Amino acid sequence: MKGLFLGEIARLTGGRLLQGRPETLILSYAFDSRQAAPGTLFFALKDKRDGHDFVRDAYEKGAAAACVSEDIKGLPPDFGLLKVDDTLAALQTLAARLLDHHRLKIVGITGSVGKTSTKEFTARLLSEKFKVLKSPGNFNNQIGVPISILSLDGSQEIAVLEMGMSRRGEISKLTAIAPPDVAVITAIAPVHLEFFRDLDEIALAKREILEGARPGAVAVLNGDDSRLRKMASEWRGGQVLFYGFSQDCPVRADRLRPLGFDGLSFDLAIGKQKAGVRVPFLNRALVSNLLAACAVAWSFGLELEQLLPAINDLPQVEHRGQLLKLKNRIIIYDDSYNSNPVALRLVLESLSQVPAARKIAVLGDMLELGPEELAFHREAGQAIPQLGWDIMVTIGPRAREMVTGALEKGFEARSAHSFDGAEEAADWLKTALRPGDLVLVKGSHALALDKIVAILKKEMED
């Protein structure tokens, strides 16, 4: 929220102004000193690094003040220092207090897969009728959500916020800051199993978005997910709106048809209305994300006819299903941002229907899968020959188990190549690619497989 005086921020957060003027106008907020600018309030958070070590850097970038929990010496007296007990709690409190005084509807989006794409699609559809704030990138945690809220300028009517988690209780903390009027759960999948006993525990953690929703909230749930069906039957909140491919979902896709590299077509049903649509997606998982967005838009009163222009103008989300055309008819499907067993299976199935000279799966480790991680990788590899993929390239020690799974199902060993890092794999691909190849790149974020995409683009951009 722009245009708050530093003294007012001190009052809202319960902090004490050590130096600086209460009438200093704060125009923006940052937790990374590199993002500081004139008028910025810098929050010195203690995360992987201690933000107090970067207060001077924020000052030198032009920041107007810093929110700190420790004494900072040696800064000019006109630079504001707001001292609080806990800087993260202060950030969250400020965001929550501002929402209390702002007439704004909140759409909260969580789920094991597809959160960011669903957020982007939802914001685009709602913008046909409303002024919309959306959380940038993957700002979906206890830092990112309040920072997103603080970027409100007073004109927005709806905030579309991604809400992520890796442990129980984390979504509850986010809904305490921004209780949703519409709560979306995209799916329950084997993600973060390193921190949970099983999928049922993951479902309980995701259910926190419903428990923290405002009274009378709308729950938008994936009707193709049995755990979410069960969750809906137990929820005693407001309306439940299912979306998916199942025939009893009021928002659904019928007669899904692949169109090669032109994408997919299907009949979009919203209530009693139906229209044929074409989308540039190759992966049917993105259709599911679009259906979630349509359900949210419908809950805000938008009819199918109003949504069609926006559906024809959906954003491509970077590293989440981007189609990149390089020279020699080489095509990269960049899904490099993250990976899990369910999402990987869906994209392998979807791309198996696209014509190409050769299909090459470049796959990295899938992380945080818990004690069964090797079994998950082996099972994923078994799909490679079953779905007609020609070459597999793996990156990381766990992904080598995918090769084991593929060989068990008759895949030829000479068509499997394993590497330790992304650059090494990219160097091999530069010499191995042939005209007309389709290359899928997918792996957990920590593997940095986007480097492969960047290297191949630089080498082969048309």
Side-chain angles (χ1 to χ4, degrees):
M1 177 71 71
K2 297 180 179 179
L4 280 179
F5 292 117
L6 186 57
E8 178 69 359
I9 293 173
R11 184 185 69 80
L12 291 171
T13 58
R16 181 165 58 95
L17 197 58
L18 299 180
Q19 65 177 55
R21 295 175 297 133
E23 61 270 23
T24 296
L25 189 61
I26 299 301
L27 300 174
S28 63
Y29 305 85
F31 61 91
D32 184 333
S33 62
R34 294 170 295 183
Q35 305 302 317
T40 295
L41 173 61
F42 171 68
F43 282 87
L45 304 180
K46 294 185 176 183
D47 194 32
K48 294 178 182 176
R49 304 170 78 177
D50 189 343
H52 293 84
D53 296 335
F54 298 91
V55 171
R56 178 168 291 280
D57 186 51
Y59 160 72
E60 291 173 352
K61 293 285 196 308
C67 180
V68 299
S69 59
E70 300 174 2
D71 291 335
I72 305 291
K73 304 294 185 183
L75 290 169
D78 61 339
F79 179 74
L81 285 176
L82 173 61
K83 189 172 184 181
V84 296
D85 292 335
D86 183 319
T87 51
L88 177 58
L91 171 64
Q92 295 170 346
T93 297
L94 179 60
R97 294 280 174 85
L98 291 177
L99 280 182
D100 286 343
H101 296 90
H102 195 79
R103 298 177 67 86
L104 187 76
K105 296 290 187 181
I106 303 292
V107 178
I109 299 173
T110 194
S112 300
V113 294
K115 293 185 293 297
T116 301
S117 295
T118 300
K119 176 203 68 182
E120 294 292 333
F121 296 162
T122 299
R124 177 64 189 91
L125 298 190
L126 288 174
S127 68
E128 288 296 295
K129 184 177 179 180
F130 303 99
K131 290 187 178 296
V132 179
L133 169 78
K134 64 176 181 179
S135 50
N138 65 327
F139 272 35
N140 64 9
N141 61 14
Q142 294 180 59
I143 300 171
V145 168
I147 283 288
S148 300
I149 292 167
L150 292 178
S151 67
L152 285 164
D153 63 16
S155 68
Q156 295 98 337
E157 301 163 280
I158 301 174
V160 182
L161 304 175
E162 186 178 333
M163 296 183 172
M165 67 90 197
S166 56
R167 292 173 174 82
R168 287 285 299 272
E170 292 182 351
I171 291 178
S172 291
K173 292 178 181 177
L174 299 180
T175 59
I177 300 167
D181 298 278
V182 179
V184 183
I185 307 180
T186 62
I188 306 300
V191 181
H192 305 310
L193 274 176
E194 181 179 338
F195 311 113
F196 295 92
R197 185 174 62 242
D198 52 27
L199 288 175
D200 291 332
E201 280 202 348
I202 292 175
L204 288 174
K206 297 297 183 185
R207 193 175 71 180
E208 291 172 10
I209 198 170
L210 301 183
E211 296 166 347
R214 286 180 175 147
V218 177
V220 172
L221 306 178
N222 185 341
D224 300 325
D225 189 307
S226 61
R227 286 181 174 83
L228 293 181
R229 290 275 186 171
K230 182 175 184 293
M231 191 183 299
S233 70
E234 298 169 347
W235 189 48
R236 297 296 177 261
Q239 177 190 3
V240 175
L241 189 53
F242 286 119
Y243 70 88
F245 298 93
S246 304
Q247 282 301 302
D248 63 341
C249 292
V251 179
R252 68 182 182 279
D254 294 330
R255 298 197 310 134
L256 189 69
R257 301 175 294 279
L259 303 174
F261 287 109
D262 291 328
L264 297 163
S265 68
F266 59 93
D267 295 333
L268 173 60
I270 300 180
K272 296 180 179 179
Q273 299 176 314
K274 184 175 283 193
V277 299
R278 175 182 289 190
V279 291
F281 315 145
L282 302 188
N283 186 355
R284 66 173 274 166
L286 291 173
V287 175
S288 181
N289 300 338
L290 174 58
L291 293 175
C294 289
V296 174
W298 193 34
S299 76
F300 280 98
L302 278 82
E303 300 294 333
L304 176 56
E305 185 177 350
Q306 295 173 279
L307 299 179
L308 292 178
I311 290 173
N312 291 326
D313 185 36
L314 292 170
Q316 268 203 327
V317 185
E318 191 175 28
H319 306 312
R320 294 172 173 89
Q322 275 187 302
L323 198 64
L324 306 173
K325 297 182 179 180
L326 308 183
K327 66 183 181 183
N328 297 325
R329 297 177 289 109
I330 293 170
I331 292 180
I332 295 179
Y333 189 84
D334 178 9
D335 208 18
S336 60
Y337 184 78
N338 219 334
S339 188
N340 64 71
V342 171
L344 177 56
R345 177 76 190 200
L346 280 171
V347 74
L348 288 172
E349 288 177 351
S350 297
L351 296 187
S352 70
Q353 302 178 55
V354 177
R358 298 183 304 174
K359 295 187 178 71
I360 303 172
V362 181
L363 308 175
D365 286 356
M366 299 182 287
L367 303 181
E368 297 183 355
L369 293 181
E372 299 299 317
E373 64 176 8
L374 296 183
F376 279 120
H377 285 82
R378 188 163 56 252
E379 183 178 354
Q382 291 171 353
I384 296 294
Q386 292 171 340
L387 295 172
W389 286 80
D390 300 292
I391 296 172
M392 65 185 305
V393 177
T394 69
I395 299 96
R398 299 166 186 82
R400 290 177 185 271
E401 198 66 20
M402 294 183 189
V403 175
T404 301
L407 296 179
E408 290 173 352
K409 296 298 181 180
F411 197 68
E412 294 186 2
R414 62 188 178 90
S415 297
H417 308 271
S418 295
F419 301 95
D420 294 328
E423 293 92 343
E424 187 183 359
D427 288 340
W428 182 85
L429 285 163
K430 285 191 296 186
T431 61
L433 291 180
R434 299 177 190 168
D437 283 345
L438 169 64
V439 184
L440 163 66
V441 182
K442 190 167 183 64
S444 283
H445 187 59
L447 275 290
L449 298 196
D450 57 310
K451 292 180 182 177
I452 295 176
V453 177
I455 291 169
L456 294 181
K457 279 180 65 179
K458 183 176 180 180
E459 184 81 9
M460 304 181 178
E461 198 149 27
D462 193 351

